[in-house]
Amino acid sequence: MPSSWRKMVYGMNKVFLILLFAANLLSAQDRPTLGLALSGGGAKGLAHIGVIQELENAGIYPDLVSGTSMGSIVGGLYAIGYSPSQLKRIAGDISWTDYFSDSYASSFVPIEQRRLSQGYQLSFPIDTGGIVLPRGLLEGRKIQTLLSLLFSPARNASSFDDFPLPFRAIATDIVTGEAYTFRDGEIQHAIRASMAIPSIFAPVSVTDAEGKDRLLVDGLVVRNLPASDAIDLGADLVLAVDVGAPLAKKEELNNIISILQQTADFGSIKYNEQQRELADFIIDPDLGEFTAISYDSADSIVKLGAASTRAALPELIRQLESSGIAVPMEAPERKEIEADSLFLTGVRFECDDPAATRILEKLFYLGIPGLVTNDQLENQINKLYGSNFFTLINFSFLPTVDGNELIISAKPVLDWQMRLSVSYDSDYEIAMLVNLSGRNVIGNGSLLSFDARISQFPRASLDYILYTQTRPSIGVHLSGSANFYPGRLYDGDDLISEFRAHHFTSRLAAFSGLGENRYLEAGLFSENLSSNDRFITLVPTENILNRQAFYAELVRDTYDRAIFPRKGARTDIYVQRSLGGREKKTDADFNDLGSNLVVTATHRQVNKLIGKVSGILELAGGFVQHNRRNVLNQLYLGRPLAKEPFFFNVYGKRHMELAVSGFVTAAFGLRLEAGNNNFIGLHYQYGRYAISEERLVRLENGLLNPDRFNENISGFALTLGSDTFLGPLQFNAEYDPSDGSKNYNLHFGYYF
């Protein structure tokens, strides 16, 4: 072939290849833009993860995302770069029900405050105008912390359009009733607003681009399925995933709750239908009986979302290809997000209140500059909340040359709070606890707390503590209390007498928080304890104990949480030496208490054995050194009694069934966590006790006389429990093999 021909053919080939490349490029640019709209639906929204997983497995990759409520959480994480496998892992690893709560484990509460800060179901700040009612049952503290950590990889983006996938989150302006679309700002605040279920979560205040203040709640109110937002963002085709519940059928409207729910849903369902009409293809995952609160079934919900998507894929692919989108689509380049740690170069506190800044500077500590994991930062934020100084804490990250600067802003609690709690116990009946507490009342960092238990057996107490914000801390504790509780006398198994115990105490003590988990208190106290025939009597009783004493208490508490701990241990050692006082039965029959000694110790340890099975070890013991035995100066075995230190739990025994001079017990148990925060336990206890009419410790050698501990006790217990947002719910069935007796007890609410 002549060289001229070869050159011409070569040139034509080059032109053909260039035209082919241009045609492919033009075709890719002309391909319709695919938008993914994800609805809200609480726990059911976790099905979106299964949908995204199967879409990518089929080679379908959305170009942009919009989401409402849980759809905004899943959609937002997907938009900033999380892969489906990462989303699936997040859904399975997070204990969602724990995050949808504002209560913190006891391990995050300063050891100095644990006795005074826990056990309340409701809290109301008190301002100059009176009690301030909350705008929601939850402030959303934990979920805000979680969102700030999960979305930290988006810290460099100034607009949601800068994410790997452009994104929109939808909320509702509760003032105007209009939908509000987030396009920029800190994405964690956008997500928090989008999921702020009215009356459950407090609304979120934001300032829009025009400088107007907005008060926002969950987007499900007006746009639970944000198809129109995907279109506004640039979608030519909208693939919608709707996990919202349809209106109930007639046969399902059989109670007041279902009718109220149906009434509330009318408006949102109407809006939802309008959005469904805008979608080009809709996936309605079949989620069976799962509801918006089925967070403990996250894995199952994700799988159902995947299954529904696989079933819909043939028709979806057909429709996409008929619209000009070839499947499989070209997979986007994705670098898997690493969001487990950050290098922090510094920390900056931005608070309107200078006092809040000073408290943050004292309480906040991380190894900065340095690499900080998400768990370390979350624990530090939890400790700030546990201090009870702050009602809301926000944090963000500002990129720097060497890493990131941590910026923390905090809103302090009002100085005065009113707190309430209600409980029921089959032995002690129903009770209400009313608390009034004030901070910085007498000295900066001080806490003044007044409790009143309103029940058949009332109690009132006043506590004042002031301590340094250091480790070890040093502080002072003043307290006074009046406690009225039921008293019982048994002869063997027979109840022979009942009375009303009146117990008045006052204390002045010094204490030290020796570390995060150790506490030592020592001081002086005075008490008056009497048995009475009636609740209120003006007639002097014939059985009175007056005492002034020195006491010391050492506590080590490593529980991960106060109620149904999953791990950790608690040890209490108490020593009390009388300095004076007397016990009398009649004016002519009294006994000097100047040398009385009481020593008690308890230890309870919880260890994870396998899976969700934990082993529990409980040890207890104590003795009373007295000159003469009296029902008022004994240790009581049966059921424990809140706020009374000499009552100890023995399975199979009733309240005060055994009044002893000394005892030792050991209990072993296995506990299974069935589901999330539901527990089944089986326990066995064995011990020995002594009843002495005189001194239990031999004076000649100062040692306990083991021969006197000659009575055996043992018992079995089956426990069913649940840790609810209102406190523990627990049922005990107990058996005493010595006499074949059975005891049953039901308790709901915190112990006070």
Side-chain angles (χ1 to χ4, degrees):
M1 181 182 293
S3 60
S4 58
W5 283 94
R6 286 198 298 270
K7 291 180 179 179
M8 184 175 68
V9 171
Y10 177 71
M12 292 177 64
N13 286 338
K14 287 178 64 177
V15 171
F16 176 76
L17 290 173
I18 292 173
L19 290 175
L20 181 62
F21 176 77
N24 288 336
L25 182 61
L26 185 62
S27 174
Q29 290 174 338
D30 288 344
R31 175 180 67 77
T33 299
L34 178 61
L36 179 65
L38 304 178
S39 78
K44 295 190 296 181
L46 297 173
H48 296 317
I49 297 173
V51 173
I52 294 172
Q53 172 187 299
E54 292 304 316
L55 290 178
E56 289 207 353
N57 288 342
I60 301 172
Y61 302 94
D63 300 303
L64 55 90
V65 185
S66 62
T68 296
S69 200
M70 181 57 81
S72 73
I73 297 179
V74 175
L77 292 172
Y78 184 51
I80 68 172
Y82 283 89
S83 66
S85 61
Q86 286 179 306
L87 294 176
K88 190 175 180 180
R89 186 166 62 251
I90 290 171
D93 290 348
I94 290 176
S95 178
W96 293 95
T97 51
D98 287 343
Y99 280 101
F100 293 137
S101 162
D102 277 345
S103 61
Y104 287 84
S106 60
S107 57
F108 295 121
V109 179
I111 188 73
E112 299 88 347
Q113 297 184 36
R114 288 181 192 174
R115 305 183 193 198
L116 302 179
S117 63
Q118 297 178 321
Y120 304 100
Q121 296 161 342
L122 297 174
S123 180
F124 305 97
I126 300 176
D127 208 344
T128 53
I131 295 177
V132 180
L133 294 179
R135 295 187 296 182
L137 293 177
L138 300 174
E139 190 68 40
R141 299 171 178 175
K142 284 186 177 179
I143 197 67
Q144 181 68 52
T145 300
L146 175 65
L147 295 175
S148 296
L149 293 171
L150 289 176
F151 286 97
S152 62
R155 58 191 174 277
N156 293 320
S158 59
S159 167
F160 295 178
D161 293 337
D162 297 333
F163 298 158
L165 297 177
F167 174 69
R168 296 291 183 266
I170 292 78
T172 302
D173 188 323
I174 194 65
V175 176
T176 66
E178 300 172 346
Y180 183 87
T181 302
F182 283 94
R183 298 173 173 82
D184 52 29
E186 295 186 352
I187 186 172
Q188 66 267 27
H189 296 313
I191 303 299
R192 168 66 180 83
S194 182
M195 55 159 289
I197 303 171
S199 75
I200 302 298
F201 286 104
V204 175
S205 299
V206 300
T207 302
D208 63 18
E210 299 176 355
K212 293 175 59 178
D213 292 331
R214 302 283 196 131
L215 191 63
L216 304 177
V217 297
D218 200 315
L220 68 82
V221 177
V222 295
R223 197 177 297 162
N224 194 44
L225 184 64
S228 60
D229 297 277
I231 295 172
D232 293 342
L233 189 52
D236 299 309
L237 293 172
V238 176
L239 167 58
V241 185
D242 190 359
V243 297
L247 290 174
K249 298 178 182 179
K250 180 180 179 181
E251 56 271 19
E252 296 172 329
L253 299 173
N254 52 17
N255 58 65
I256 186 173
I257 296 177
S258 61
I259 291 175
L260 287 173
Q261 183 65 52
Q262 184 91 331
T263 305
D265 285 344
F266 276 131
S268 59
I269 293 294
K270 176 183 177 182
Y271 289 125
N272 207 60
E273 290 301 321
Q274 294 172 354
Q275 293 295 313
R276 288 175 67 93
E277 292 176 2
L278 297 175
D280 297 281
F281 194 91
I282 301 175
I283 296 177
D284 292 300
D286 182 3
L287 300 178
E289 299 299 318
F290 292 120
T291 69
I293 60 174
S294 300
Y295 288 100
D296 55 346
S297 302
D299 290 340
S300 298
I301 293 174
V302 171
K303 291 178 181 178
L304 289 176
S308 296
T309 305
R310 287 194 297 270
L313 277 175
E315 178 59 25
L316 173 60
I317 293 173
R318 187 197 66 76
Q319 189 164 333
L320 290 176
E321 290 185 337
S322 68
S323 301
I325 298 179
V327 179
M329 301 165 63
E330 183 179 353
E333 293 185 5
R334 176 188 289 139
K335 182 180 179 182
E336 191 160 290
I337 282 181
E338 297 179 0
D340 294 333
S341 61
L342 279 175
F343 188 87
L344 300 180
T345 58
V347 59
R348 181 173 10 131
F349 303 116
E350 296 183 347
C351 305
D352 295 333
D353 188 340
T357 301
R358 290 193 297 270
I359 295 173
L360 282 174
E361 291 172 344
K362 289 181 179 180
L363 298 181
F364 185 85
Y365 175 77
L366 280 175
I368 298 176
L371 189 67
V372 177
T373 67
N374 281 359
D375 288 342
Q376 289 174 325
L377 182 54
E378 183 178 19
N379 285 340
Q380 187 63 51
I381 297 298
N382 289 347
K383 288 179 181 178
L384 294 179
Y385 277 126
S387 72
N388 294 309
F389 281 109
F390 306 102
T391 184
L392 191 63
I393 300 170
N394 290 312
F395 63 93
S396 58
F397 306 95
L398 181 65
T400 63
V401 175
D402 301 325
N404 301 273
E405 183 182 26
L406 176 63
I407 301 173
I408 298 179
S409 62
K411 179 182 177 182
V413 299
L414 294 176
D415 285 342
W416 287 95
Q417 302 274 327
M418 180 179 180
R419 298 179 289 185
L420 303 173
S421 198
V422 176
S423 74
Y424 170 79
D425 190 281
S426 54
D427 283 345
Y428 308 127
E429 306 297 335
I430 193 168
M432 173 182 286
L433 182 64
V434 180
N435 170 268
L436 183 65
S437 59
R439 287 193 171 276
N440 308 313
V441 178
I442 309 174
N444 289 330
S446 65
L447 175 63
L448 181 66
S449 178
F450 172 74
D451 268 344
R453 182 179 67 207
I454 304 170
S455 74
Q456 181 181 355
F457 304 102
R459 179 180 185 273
S461 65
L462 181 67
D463 288 87
Y464 171 81
I465 62 172
L466 175 66
Y467 64 96
T468 61
Q469 302 292 329
T470 59
R471 279 289 175 261
S473 65
I474 300 174
V476 61
H477 180 195
L478 288 79
S479 69
S481 68
N483 193 16
F484 301 83
Y485 59 85
R488 297 174 184 172
L489 290 178
Y490 289 86
D491 182 8
D493 299 328
D494 298 326
L495 177 64
I496 60 174
S497 176
E498 291 187 82
F499 59 91
R500 298 293 182 266
H502 295 181
H503 193 191
F504 301 90
T505 66
S506 59
R507 296 173 186 262
L508 171 61
F511 66 84
S512 176
L514 302 176
E516 291 187 351
N517 302 312
R518 294 183 300 278
Y519 176 86
L520 175 64
E521 179 172 304
L524 304 174
F525 89 99
S526 176
E527 70 173 337
N528 178 285
L529 178 60
S530 61
S531 61
N532 302 272
D533 294 333
R534 294 181 296 277
F535 169 59
I536 296 178
T537 178
L538 299 178
V539 179
T541 180
E542 293 187 345
N543 204 2
I544 300 176
L545 183 150
N546 287 297
R547 173 163 46 199
Q548 299 80 44
F550 166 83
Y551 77 97
E553 182 177 18
L554 178 65
V555 177
R556 182 178 181 269
D557 182 0
T558 63
Y559 278 161
D560 59 341
R561 60 184 197 175
I563 306 300
F564 299 117
R566 295 186 175 97
K567 62 179 180 179
R570 180 182 172 100
T571 302
D572 290 79
I573 301 173
Y574 183 85
V575 178
Q576 175 182 296
R577 175 70 185 221
S578 296
L579 301 176
R582 66 180 186 173
E583 160 261 321
K584 71 172 184 176
K585 294 183 178 179
T586 66
D587 290 336
D589 183 10
F590 64 88
N591 179 43
D592 180 51
L593 299 178
S595 60
N596 273 26
L597 175 69
V598 182
V599 178
T600 65
T602 60
H603 175 78
R604 188 173 190 266
Q605 185 162 339
V606 182
N607 292 101
K608 183 178 179 180
L609 298 180
I610 182 172
K612 290 194 172 185
V613 177
S614 298
I616 302 174
L617 170 67
E618 297 176 276
L619 304 174
F623 69 89
V624 179
Q625 177 80 326
H626 52 67
N627 292 324
R628 182 176 67 175
R629 183 171 182 260
N630 184 296
V631 69
L632 297 180
N633 66 357
Q634 297 292 282
L635 304 176
Y636 308 103
L637 308 185
R639 292 210 57 214
L641 186 63
K643 308 299 182 181
E644 290 294 334
F646 298 152
F647 286 71
F648 299 89
N649 185 57
V650 171
Y651 297 127
K653 298 298 182 183
R654 293 161 290 182
H655 169 67
M656 294 183 69
E657 185 168 344
L658 284 176
V660 303
S661 304
F663 77 99
V664 289
T665 62
F668 308 91
L670 293 175
R671 189 176 67 195
L672 169 68
E673 183 170 2
N676 190 33
N677 288 323
N678 300 311
F679 302 90
I680 303 173
L682 183 63
H683 307 262
Y684 171 72
Q685 187 176 43
Y686 176 79
R688 296 173 71 86
Y689 67 91
I691 297 177
S692 176
E693 298 296 335
E694 54 187 16
R695 303 178 75 83
L696 191 64
V697 178
R698 291 183 177 179
L699 296 178
E700 60 271 17
N701 55 24
L703 297 176
L704 280 173
N705 182 358
D707 295 337
R708 298 189 179 185
F709 288 75
N710 53 8
E711 299 289 341
N712 297 327
I713 46 175
S714 62
F716 295 90
L718 172 66
T719 63
L720 305 176
S722 181
D723 187 9
T724 75
F725 71 97
L726 292 176
L729 171 62
Q730 182 165 326
F731 172 76
N732 283 10
E734 301 176 357
Y735 173 70
D736 183 350
S738 65
D739 58 11
S741 62
K742 303 178 183 66
N743 293 321
Y744 304 96
N745 173 259
L746 176 65
H747 183 94
F748 177 62
Y750 294 103
Y751 292 88
F752 53 77

